[in-house]
Amino acid sequence: VKEKIRADEAQAEHYKDRIRAIETEIWEKEQEIEALKAGSLKNQEEAAELKKAYNELQRKLQEQRTRISLYKKTAEENQQGLMDLLAEKDETTSRLSALNTLLSQENLRLQETGEQLKAVNKTIEEAEEKLKTLSGDEKDAESSLSSKKDELAELQRELDEADLSYEALRQEINDNNQKFQINRSRYETLRAVQEQYEGFNNAVRRVMEVRSRYPGICGVVSDLIRVDKKFRTAIEAALGGNYQNIVTEDQKTARDLISFLKESRSGRATFLPLDAVRPIGRLSDERILKEPGVYGTANTLTEADKRYDNVVRNLLERIVVVEDLKTASDLARKYRYQIRMVTLEGDILAVGGSMTGGSFKNNNHYLGRTEELEALSRTNERLKSETAEKEKELNLKKQLKESLQVETDDLREEIQDIILKLSGIRSSRDHQNSLIRLNRMESKELASRKEEILESIASHKTEKLSIEDTVKQLEALNASSDSSRNEVAGLLQEAETEEARLSEEAEALRLKQSEAAQREEFNEESLERLAKDIGRLEEEKEELNDNLSEISENTSEKEEEIRTLESSLRKAEITLAGMENDLKGYSESRDSMTSQQKAYFDQRDSLSTVISDLNREEVRLQSQQEKLEERIDNQVNYLWSEYELTPSEAEKFRDETLDNPSRIRRHAQELKTAIRQLGNVNVNAIEQYNEVSERYETMTAQYQDLKKAEEDLKKIIQDLDEGMRRQFTERFAAISDEYDRVFKELFGGGQGTLEIREGDILESDIQIISQPPGKKLQNMMQLSGGEKALSAIALIFAIQNLKPSPFCLLDEIEAALDDSNVGRFTGYLRKLTHSTQFIVITHRRGTMVAADRLYGITMQEKGVSALISVNLVEGELSN
């Protein structure tokens, strides 16, 4: 403790030295701060003066720049005025020349307009006479069409109702058939699985295959008991592998079947003879059946024939079914783990406390297959009966629907004939109206144009005189502007020189301001750093003072501890003297007892030697006994695994003559080698051969069918090719003749032909040869764009003429045609409307004039499209 006090005093002295050094360092940094503050004040005054001088210089520079901008603006205005004067003079001269040309042209237009106005008025009179004749025919057709449409609407309503009813009933039949097919497939699969005992081991399947040879077989356990769906998982878990056990009428049947399995080497199975199986006893404590969460013993939750009662009780009577694993764990603790329990999810808690659980690999539920088969069979019968009734009703609805459809089709044909007639009348009427409207508009336009031409001639003469005066004024203004431009250029040069000088002085002041700002920033950073250093030193000084106070307190405590230890030392010396006297007496007593103990130890050692020898002998004998027992067990297992014999059965085959073990082992090894050379024995070879043979025969038959189908398809393809070639040749010749006729009508003469190159007619190229009037015969691809388009249109109309379609869509096919050819195109298109309805996408005026109805898309507001239609044929054209 005294050494610790000396160390604390040395540490305190060290702390005092450090405090004095810190105080000196703080004083030095405070002096440095004062010097920095004085330099910062001087630097700020210098920066203020520089800023003031810089701002004054900037003001002067801005004034000079404003003056320069004003001079430049004046120079630009003068230059622009000169350019405007020159441009105006050129423009005025051009206008004067154009007016002279325009006056001569307008005199010619005035003469032409008068002649056109006379021709238009004559056309209007002729069209008005034709229009009066068409109005009466249109009224009669509209009256007949209205009555037929009302009749058609009523028939259509009845047909729609019949159609909806028919489709709904047909959908119900399809749904029933689909459900029936799904159920039947499930039934067949489940029945095959049950008949073949899928999921059972090989021995059980072999026994059930030969059940007809053994009348004493009752069946497997899973076939003989029935379980509610709620408890199936629990009962299957409780049974474990016992659901595969085979129930027989008596023990003799069981023995015969065991012999059969041995002879056929089909494996092992468990048999339950009804004359031998007995219940294994009730629960050890039946109070558990009254506990919450307990459903009862497993045998009470199953159903079976009365004669199998002992089998069910034997397998399930001592197993309790509970709600869940927590309930099972609580009950197991309460009844000391003496009762076997199973939960609804199939978790098992065995006697002794072991637990088995987890998820099942499949959900076959062997116990519910029979019930599911019966339910599927009942469902299929019900679906077949319902489907038969619905099919009868469906036939009646189909007949009604067909009769209504025939009436509707007949009425539609009548309406279509009336519509076509009405369409023709309206088309002619609208054509005449359109002709009158267009000619009247043209008449007004020509009259207005004539007035405009007269006014324009008078106006142009006046304008000509005004332009000649303007040219003279512009030449005088151009001469006066030259002196003003020279004066402004001299002032601008002087202002730019002064601006350059002021900019250099401003840049020098800006650099000095930047240097002053950097010095000020450096001073601020230094002041901040010194303040932080002083704060850190003050904290360290305070910490050292705290340490000095702590050392002082510790020294006082240690001095008090020294005084306490000295007092305790004196008391301990007195106690030590008394204890040494007692120790002397105890030592004498110990020596006496040690001599007695030595005699006992010698006797114990001799006895221990004898016991150790006996223990070693016992261990050796036990080890030898275990080895012999293990060897016997190995021999018994080997005998069963290799030959399926028990020791008692093997005793029957004992041969006393075989007394040489080495020769016997050598002979056995030779036999094993010969067996291995034979290869693996396939016990299922017969069944596999039958399966492969049956599959081979099936696939052979399928192969023969495919070969025959291939030959039939080749013959059908050959017949189709011949028919296609014959039909194509006939139709191609007809199309070629029709193409030549349409070509001449659209071109106003010439010749058009279609030719097939040599080779297979179905794979050869087709050439279109065109000869417009006045040109030589050539390939269509060598024509101009308009001639190509008209040739292609001729081919389309030729095909359409041979087999008209009720509806046709044309997308700008006449875009490349000139106005005269557009007229021929629309005229021919009008001839085809007696059998075909056309929708034409076009931008050509001639095509739009010939149409019955126009549709256009416009965008009056950005992003909002609107449909606009113009009906050139009054009334509806379709039903």
Side-chain angles (χ1 to χ4, degrees):
V1 172
K2 290 179 180 178
E3 183 62 30
K4 288 181 181 179
I5 290 173
R6 284 193 293 273
D8 288 344
E9 290 174 349
Q11 185 68 29
E13 189 62 29
H14 171 70
Y15 287 160
K16 290 175 182 178
D17 293 340
R18 178 57 185 159
I19 289 171
R20 287 191 292 271
I22 288 172
E23 290 174 347
T24 302
E25 190 174 352
I26 290 173
W27 181 84
E28 292 174 352
K29 291 186 181 295
E30 288 174 347
Q31 295 299 316
E32 189 176 351
I33 288 172
E34 292 298 328
L36 285 172
K37 286 181 178 179
S40 177
L41 184 60
K42 182 180 179 182
N43 191 48
Q44 289 175 0
E45 293 174 353
E46 183 180 352
E49 293 176 357
L50 288 172
K51 183 177 182 181
K52 183 177 180 181
Y54 180 75
N55 290 337
E56 179 64 21
L57 197 58
Q58 283 291 330
R59 185 184 62 78
K60 293 179 180 179
L61 183 61
Q62 185 62 35
E63 291 176 355
Q64 194 64 28
R65 285 174 178 171
T66 303
R67 194 176 297 114
I68 290 172
S69 177
L70 182 60
Y71 290 156
K72 285 183 177 180
K73 184 176 180 182
T74 303
E76 289 174 358
E77 289 175 353
N78 290 337
Q79 184 66 24
Q80 184 63 37
L82 177 62
M83 299 300 294
D84 292 343
L85 284 174
L86 293 175
E88 189 175 357
K89 181 180 178 182
D90 293 340
E91 182 182 356
T92 304
T93 306
S94 299
R95 285 176 58 193
L96 185 61
S97 177
L99 277 174
N100 291 328
T101 305
L102 189 60
L103 283 170
S104 61
Q105 291 176 352
E106 285 178 343
N107 288 323
L108 291 174
R109 285 173 58 202
L110 183 63
Q111 184 180 355
E112 292 174 357
T113 303
E115 295 175 356
Q116 291 175 359
L117 187 58
K118 292 178 182 178
V120 168
N121 290 331
K122 183 179 180 181
T123 303
I124 291 173
E125 292 174 1
E126 294 174 354
E128 287 176 346
E129 290 295 327
K130 292 180 181 179
L131 192 61
K132 291 177 182 178
T133 306
L134 293 171
S135 296
D137 296 339
E138 182 182 6
K139 289 180 180 179
D140 296 338
E142 284 178 347
S143 177
S144 176
L145 178 63
S146 177
S147 62
K148 293 292 183 183
K149 280 186 175 181
D150 294 339
E151 188 178 350
L152 177 63
E154 181 62 26
L155 274 177
Q156 186 63 45
R157 185 185 61 78
E158 295 178 6
L159 179 61
D160 291 342
E161 292 176 356
D163 194 26
L164 289 174
S165 176
Y166 175 81
E167 289 299 325
L169 188 59
R170 188 169 64 83
Q171 185 61 41
E172 290 179 10
I173 293 173
N174 290 339
D175 293 343
N176 278 0
N177 287 333
Q178 188 175 4
K179 292 177 183 177
F180 176 77
Q181 294 298 332
I182 293 171
N183 285 346
R184 186 174 67 177
S185 176
R186 173 66 179 164
Y187 177 83
E188 295 296 334
T189 303
L190 197 59
R191 187 179 65 178
V193 167
Q194 188 179 35
E195 290 178 353
Q196 297 174 8
Y197 287 90
E198 195 71 33
F200 290 76
N201 65 43
N202 185 56
V204 175
R205 290 202 300 272
R206 292 286 292 138
V207 169
M208 300 312 293
E209 286 174 3
V210 299
R211 65 185 305 174
S212 59
R213 290 161 44 189
Y214 297 91
I217 297 176
C218 300
V220 295
V221 172
S222 62
D223 291 341
L224 302 178
I225 65 176
R226 293 177 297 281
V227 184
D228 186 82
K229 188 174 182 180
K230 179 179 180 180
F231 301 110
R232 280 180 189 166
T233 302
I235 300 302
E236 284 191 4
L239 286 171
N242 293 331
Y243 72 87
Q244 302 190 57
N245 293 354
I246 301 171
V247 180
T248 61
E249 294 286 354
D250 47 36
Q251 297 182 62
K252 180 180 180 305
T253 302
R255 288 194 297 272
D256 293 343
L257 290 171
I258 290 173
S259 299
F260 164 74
L261 292 175
K262 290 179 179 179
E263 292 170 1
S264 62
R265 302 179 69 84
S266 299
R268 298 165 61 85
T270 302
F271 298 90
L272 302 174
L274 293 178
D275 60 347
V277 174
R278 295 292 180 269
I280 60 177
R282 296 181 177 275
L283 287 173
S284 59
D285 193 342
E286 295 188 355
R287 291 178 299 169
I288 193 173
L289 299 177
K290 298 179 181 179
E291 297 284 351
V294 175
Y295 293 98
T297 56
N299 65 302
T300 62
L301 303 176
T302 61
E303 296 179 7
D305 195 278
K306 187 67 177 175
R307 61 197 295 247
Y308 304 125
D309 188 52
N310 285 343
V311 172
V312 175
R313 291 177 62 191
N314 176 275
L315 297 174
L316 301 172
E317 187 172 21
R318 300 190 68 178
I319 301 175
V320 177
V321 179
V322 299
E323 178 69 29
D324 50 34
L325 194 58
K326 184 179 183 305
T327 303
S329 301
D330 295 342
L331 293 174
R333 286 194 299 271
K334 183 174 180 180
Y335 291 93
R336 301 177 180 277
Y337 299 96
Q338 296 299 314
I339 298 174
R340 181 180 176 87
M341 286 174 280
V342 62
T343 68
L344 294 182
E345 294 182 350
D347 302 320
I348 297 174
L349 201 150
V351 175
S354 65
M355 301 171 72
T356 303
S359 62
F360 287 92
K361 290 183 178 179
N362 56 61
N363 294 313
N364 287 330
H365 289 305
Y366 303 99
L367 302 181
R369 287 178 178 174
T370 303
E371 295 177 14
E372 188 175 356
L373 281 171
E374 294 173 355
L376 289 172
S377 179
R378 290 193 299 271
T379 302
N380 285 344
E381 291 298 326
R382 177 177 59 78
L383 290 173
K384 285 171 66 178
S385 175
E386 291 179 1
T387 303
E389 294 176 0
K390 291 181 185 297
E391 285 178 346
K392 293 178 182 177
E393 185 179 354
L394 185 67
N395 289 330
L396 295 175
K397 290 186 180 295
K398 184 177 181 182
Q399 294 174 4
L400 174 62
K401 178 182 171 184
E402 290 174 350
S403 65
L404 289 172
Q405 186 65 51
V406 170
E407 293 180 22
T408 303
D409 292 342
D410 293 341
L411 191 56
R412 284 183 187 278
E413 290 179 2
E414 294 178 14
I415 291 174
Q416 189 65 30
D417 293 339
I418 296 173
I419 289 175
L420 290 173
K421 180 181 178 182
L422 183 61
S423 176
I425 294 171
R426 287 175 175 173
S427 178
S428 298
R429 184 202 64 188
D430 291 343
H431 178 68
Q432 297 301 324
N433 281 329
S434 177
L435 187 62
I436 292 170
R437 186 169 59 252
L438 290 173
N439 281 288
R440 283 177 177 170
M441 290 172 61
E442 190 173 357
S443 176
K444 290 180 181 180
E445 185 179 349
L446 289 171
S448 175
R449 189 186 306 168
K450 184 176 179 181
E451 294 295 329
E452 289 175 359
I453 292 172
L454 291 172
E455 291 176 1
S456 178
I457 290 173
S459 174
H460 289 156
K461 288 180 179 179
T462 305
E463 185 179 359
K464 179 180 178 182
L465 296 174
S466 175
I467 291 172
E468 290 174 348
D469 294 338
T470 303
V471 170
K472 294 176 182 178
Q473 293 174 3
L474 291 173
E475 289 176 350
L477 287 173
N478 187 22
S480 65
S481 63
D482 290 339
S483 61
S484 177
R485 286 198 304 273
N486 294 330
E487 182 181 354
V488 171
L491 294 174
L492 177 61
Q493 185 175 4
E494 293 176 1
E496 287 177 345
T497 303
E498 180 65 15
E499 182 201 14
R501 185 185 64 78
L502 292 174
S503 295
E504 291 177 359
E505 292 180 5
E507 181 64 21
L509 286 176
R510 190 186 64 79
L511 291 174
K512 290 180 179 180
Q513 276 186 317
S514 177
E515 292 174 359
Q518 288 178 356
R519 288 196 301 272
E520 181 64 22
E521 184 179 356
F522 175 75
N523 287 341
E524 289 177 357
E525 291 177 355
S526 299
L527 286 171
E528 184 178 355
R529 176 179 56 77
L530 291 171
K532 288 181 180 180
D533 291 343
I534 291 173
R536 178 179 55 77
L537 292 172
E538 290 288 352
E539 290 176 359
E540 184 179 357
K541 178 181 177 182
E542 185 177 353
E543 183 180 354
L544 292 173
N545 287 326
D546 292 341
N547 291 338
L548 285 173
S549 300
E550 185 180 353
I551 289 173
S552 178
E553 292 175 0
N554 290 338
T555 302
S556 301
E557 292 174 359
K558 288 181 175 61
E559 290 174 350
E560 182 63 28
E561 185 180 357
I562 288 173
R563 289 191 291 272
T564 303
L565 289 173
E566 288 174 348
S567 176
S568 298
L569 182 60
R570 287 192 295 271
K571 292 179 182 179
E573 289 174 348
I574 296 169
T575 304
L576 179 61
M579 293 178 69
E580 286 177 347
N581 293 330
D582 293 340
L583 180 61
K584 185 176 181 182
Y586 291 147
S587 297
E588 293 174 354
S589 176
R590 183 195 62 184
D591 293 340
S592 174
M593 296 176 69
T594 300
S595 59
Q596 294 178 4
Q597 186 183 21
K598 185 177 180 181
Y600 293 145
F601 282 163
D602 292 340
Q603 185 178 0
R604 185 195 64 180
D605 292 342
S606 62
L607 292 173
S608 296
T609 303
V610 174
I611 292 171
S612 177
D613 293 340
L614 292 174
N615 286 336
R616 283 197 295 273
E617 182 65 18
E618 181 184 13
V619 170
R620 186 183 65 80
L621 293 175
Q622 286 179 349
S623 176
Q624 187 174 358
Q625 180 185 6
E626 290 173 357
K627 289 180 180 179
L628 291 173
E629 289 175 351
E630 183 180 358
R631 187 175 177 186
I632 292 171
D633 291 339
N634 290 337
Q635 292 296 327
V636 170
N637 293 334
Y638 176 78
L639 188 64
W640 177 258
S641 63
E642 288 293 324
Y643 308 109
E644 294 190 358
L645 295 175
T646 62
S648 59
E649 293 172 342
E651 188 69 28
K652 300 175 184 178
F653 302 101
R654 185 181 183 88
D655 189 352
E656 299 295 341
T657 61
L658 300 174
D659 55 354
N660 190 335
S662 61
R663 187 169 68 249
I664 293 171
R665 283 194 292 272
R666 187 168 58 254
H667 180 61
Q669 188 63 36
E670 292 172 355
L671 292 176
K672 288 181 180 179
T673 302
I675 291 171
R676 281 196 298 271
Q677 290 175 353
L678 291 175
N680 295 329
V681 178
N682 186 0
V683 296
N684 298 322
I686 297 175
E687 290 82 352
Q688 291 178 358
Y689 170 76
N690 292 333
E691 292 177 2
V692 173
S693 177
E694 182 180 355
R695 185 181 176 198
Y696 171 75
E697 292 173 358
T698 302
M699 295 184 73
T700 302
Q702 292 177 352
Y703 174 74
Q704 295 300 330
D705 292 342
L706 290 173
K707 290 289 290 183
K708 185 175 181 301
E710 181 185 14
E711 295 173 358
D712 293 342
L713 286 173
K714 287 181 177 178
K715 186 176 183 304
I716 291 170
I717 292 170
Q718 184 178 359
D719 294 341
L720 286 173
D721 284 345
E722 292 175 357
M724 289 162 62
R725 288 186 177 88
R726 182 175 62 255
Q727 186 176 359
F728 182 80
T729 302
E730 295 171 357
R731 301 305 293 173
F732 184 80
I735 290 172
S736 181
D737 294 341
E738 185 66 19
Y739 173 68
D740 183 55
R741 188 182 64 78
V742 176
F743 185 91
K744 290 176 180 178
E745 188 168 350
L746 287 178
F747 277 90
Q751 181 182 356
T753 58
L754 302 178
E755 295 180 357
I756 298 177
R757 293 183 178 178
E758 296 181 358
D760 189 353
I761 193 171
L762 296 180
E763 298 178 358
S764 298
D765 294 337
I766 296 176
Q767 284 188 334
I768 302 175
I769 307 299
S770 302
Q771 184 182 9
K775 294 187 177 182
K776 66 178 182 179
L777 197 67
Q778 56 187 332
N779 190 300
M780 191 187 82
M781 301 310 295
Q782 298 173 353
L783 300 174
S784 65
E787 292 172 337
K788 283 183 188 177
L790 199 59
S791 298
I793 292 170
L795 181 58
I796 293 173
F797 286 163
I799 297 171
Q800 180 74 7
N801 288 340
L802 292 175
K803 191 172 183 181
S805 301
F807 174 81
C808 186
L809 174 66
L810 304 178
D811 186 2
E812 295 194 63
I813 65 173
E814 85 291 16
L817 304 182
D818 55 22
D819 292 340
S820 61
N821 285 330
V822 169
R824 291 197 188 98
F825 162 73
T826 56
Y828 197 89
L829 190 64
R830 173 62 67 184
K831 291 170 61 178
L832 300 181
T833 56
H834 69 278
S835 60
T836 303
Q837 181 182 4
F838 288 94
I839 292 180
V840 182
I841 300 172
T842 183
H843 290 285
R844 302 303 299 271
R845 176 183 176 87
T847 307
M848 287 189 272
V849 169
D852 295 330
R853 180 179 295 172
L854 298 179
Y855 292 95
I857 302 296
T858 182
M859 187 182 292
Q860 296 178 352
E861 298 180 18
K862 186 175 182 181
V864 180
S865 298
L867 175 67
I868 296 176
S869 64
V870 179
N871 190 357
L872 303 180
V873 178
E874 294 182 0
E876 296 295 329
L877 294 183
S878 65
N879 56 10

